[in-house]
Amino acid sequence: MDIKRAELKVTIAKLIELAYSTDNELTVKLMAKSGNTKLTVDQNGKATLSGAAGNLTFSGSPALEQIGAKIKRVSISFTRGNDNNVKYTATFSLEIISMSVSGEFDIEALILSCSGLLCRAARAMKGRNQALEHQYQQIMGN
């Protein structure tokens, strides 16, 4: 089990994209407009994004599949920074260990990177997943 911090940061971006594809309006309110926001994922993949603007529950399993370890819990705290920046601190509790990462990203760049059915179809094309992974790494500060 060789998990890199860059992989965890990309996983955070994927979780936000899953929230956005579930309810884009509430996700934007929570991530871009409210103050502090929290994202938790349990061992069954149930994800909850919560903050002053409300709560959003969705499946986080697709974002966790590539980690390659059994997830017990993911906890991510987001705080609005300057302009479109969002600061985060995340703890991934795995089978044996816990790993933490922190950083900041431009929420507008992340949301505009690729969401919705059209982009999902585009990702299915050869090489698209790799390009999206690279884009996530750049946005998340890798």
Side-chain angles (χ1 to χ4, degrees), residues 27-37 50-54 78-80:
T27 300
V28 169
K29 284 180 184 175
L30 286 164
M31 295 298 301
K33 297 183 177 153
S34 65
N36 297 330
T37 306
S50 59
F78 300 98
T79 306
R80 290 281 297 144

Side-chain angles (χ1 to χ4, degrees), residues 46-116:
K46 180 182 174 189
T48 304
L49 181 65
S50 59
N55 296 318
L56 174 64
T57 302
F58 60 97
S59 174
S61 294
L64 302 175
E65 290 172 353
Q66 291 183 330
I67 291 179
K70 184 172 172 138
I71 299 290
K72 288 187 175 182
R73 182 171 172 80
V74 178
S75 178
I76 310 166
S77 296
F78 300 98
T79 306
R80 290 281 297 144
N82 298 329
D83 298 321
N84 289 325
N85 288 342
V86 175
K87 296 177 182 182
Y88 65 90
T89 302
T91 301
F92 289 76
S93 299
L94 309 171
E95 261 180 310
I96 302 170
I97 63 168
S98 289
M99 293 182 70
S100 295
V101 294
S102 61
E104 69 180 85
F105 60 92
D106 182 327
I107 188 65
E108 185 176 357
L110 179 61
I111 288 174
L112 294 177
S113 67
C114 197
S115 296

